[in-house]
Amino acid sequence: MCRMFGFLTDRPRSVAVAAGSDLRTFHDLGVIHHDGWGIAAWDGQRAKVHHNPEPVMESKSFWPLVQALRTDQALFHLRLATEGLAVREENCHPFIAGNVCFAHNGQFDKTPEIVSEVTTTCDYRPRGTTDSELYFALVLRNHDRGLPWPDAIQDAARTILALVPAGRIWALDCMLGTEEAFYAFSLAFPELVPDRPEGYYDLHFLASEDSGGRSVRISSQGPESPKWQLLAQRTVLRIERGSLAMSTTPWRRSAHRARSHQEFASQRSYP
């Protein structure tokens, strides 16, 4: 399980200054989420990622990198590795394909069916061994087939629901950044992980303005202010770069016939 923090501004700014205490609060979650960290940032249309498998609390490079970072869109990730998966750079989020970056908070079983689906239908080839990178591959496949990013994300989630047994998916929360916009999606089954604190899988977002301009934050950390808004379950939030205009895409009934009881239930419960 992991922590994610997305940050957008209406113009390129110093992330350390603009994100301020919210980024510090996120960083300190590395006390528990200590299996590597990563940052994706965009320079114009070009995305770059920085990964490090060391604990962020011990890292000598995290804050110097953040201090030097000037951008209008960034995605931060702290990893708490799934049991049995290696702590190495290839497994650090965010993952990147071209100028698209993706991070995941959650876990699902890497069943033979989901691995086969990715191997046989996706052009993207995972570099590491995480379930998260399989999720990213499915999102990219769906977008390559012509789906808008919100539908590409939701349909990837439907595929996982169809091919992984009920009770073996903990959460599919994710964030995705592109050249045009930033996306966040919330879908979790917290009842399956009772040892996690309440709200662990929630995503919250906050639009604000200061003397430097306007910004939007979205985070899986507990919000420090009641001004933060909860992203509804099974909903994609889109934040447009530059204008910071926000829109949401609710869960839609799939066009294909459900391939599992779990997927059928999700279609019935969230038409």
Side-chain angles (χ1 to χ4, degrees):
M1 310 298 179
C2 308
R3 301 286 82 185
M4 304 181 292
F5 182 76
F7 185 73
L8 295 92
T9 56
D10 58 356
R11 69 202 73 175
R13 296 178 62 185
S14 164
V15 173
V17 172
S21 61
D22 290 324
L23 186 55
R24 170 65 69 177
T25 300
F26 172 80
H27 166 271
D28 291 349
L29 295 171
V31 171
I32 296 174
H33 303 82
H34 47 57
D35 294 323
W37 56 272
I39 302 172
W42 282 256
D43 181 4
Q45 301 302 302
R46 182 167 175 255
K48 290 185 66 176
V49 294
H50 304 268
H51 295 137
N52 197 315
E54 69 182 355
V56 72
M57 302 300 289
E58 301 173 10
S59 176
K60 296 181 179 179
S61 60
F62 180 85
W63 284 115
L65 182 60
V66 169
Q67 294 291 337
L69 194 58
R70 185 176 179 85
T71 184
D72 68 323
Q73 181 170 266
L75 170 56
F76 298 80
H77 187 273
L78 302 177
R79 184 174 181 234
L80 181 61
T82 299
E83 185 176 353
L85 293 184
V87 177
R88 65 189 199 198
E89 187 169 348
E90 292 85 351
N91 286 340
C92 290
H93 311 214
F95 306 108
I96 185 169
N99 292 310
V100 179
C101 298
F102 176 89
H104 169 220
N105 172 38
Q107 180 182 340
F108 58 89
D109 281 1
K110 291 174 59 179
T111 62
E113 292 80 7
I114 197 72
V115 172
S116 175
E117 181 82 5
V118 170
T119 302
T120 59
T121 70
C122 299
D123 292 332
Y124 178 86
R125 289 293 175 257
R127 300 170 181 85
T129 59
T130 66
D131 52 335
S132 305
E133 211 171 359
L134 301 180
Y135 190 2
F136 184 33
L138 293 168
V139 174
L140 292 171
R141 178 202 66 182
N142 294 340
H143 186 259
D144 287 344
R145 291 177 174 178
L147 290 180
W149 286 114
D151 295 332
I153 294 168
Q154 290 187 349
D155 205 61
R158 289 191 189 95
T159 299
I160 296 168
L161 288 169
L163 298 179
V164 178
R168 304 306 302 172
I169 303 170
W170 286 262
L172 297 174
D173 291 358
C174 68
M175 294 187 189
L176 181 141
T178 74
E179 300 170 9
E180 297 84 19
F182 191 92
Y183 302 85
F185 176 58
S186 183
L187 192 165
F189 303 93
E191 67 277 6
L192 299 178
V193 197
D195 59 324
R196 297 294 178 191
E198 184 178 357
Y200 183 82
Y201 294 107
D202 290 345
L203 291 176
H204 292 81
F205 61 98
L206 174 69
S208 62
E209 185 171 3
D210 58 24
S211 59
R214 295 178 297 115
S215 65
V216 177
R217 301 157 170 80
I218 182 158
S219 181
S220 54
Q221 72 194 49
E224 299 291 321
S225 164
K227 294 180 180 179
W228 288 74
Q229 298 180 62
L230 176 68
L231 178 60
Q233 278 284 297
R234 304 186 185 229
T235 299
V236 177
L237 172 68
R238 180 184 189 271
I239 308 165
E240 185 174 281
R241 287 184 70 185
S243 72
L244 303 186
M246 290 188 282
S247 60
T248 56
T249 301
W251 188 262
R252 294 170 179 159
R253 188 183 301 276
S254 175
H256 67 71
R257 184 174 180 177
R259 291 176 285 180
S260 70
H261 175 75
Q262 185 171 1
E263 186 185 16
F264 175 73
S266 73
Q267 291 181 13
R268 289 292 301 274
S269 301
Y270 299 86

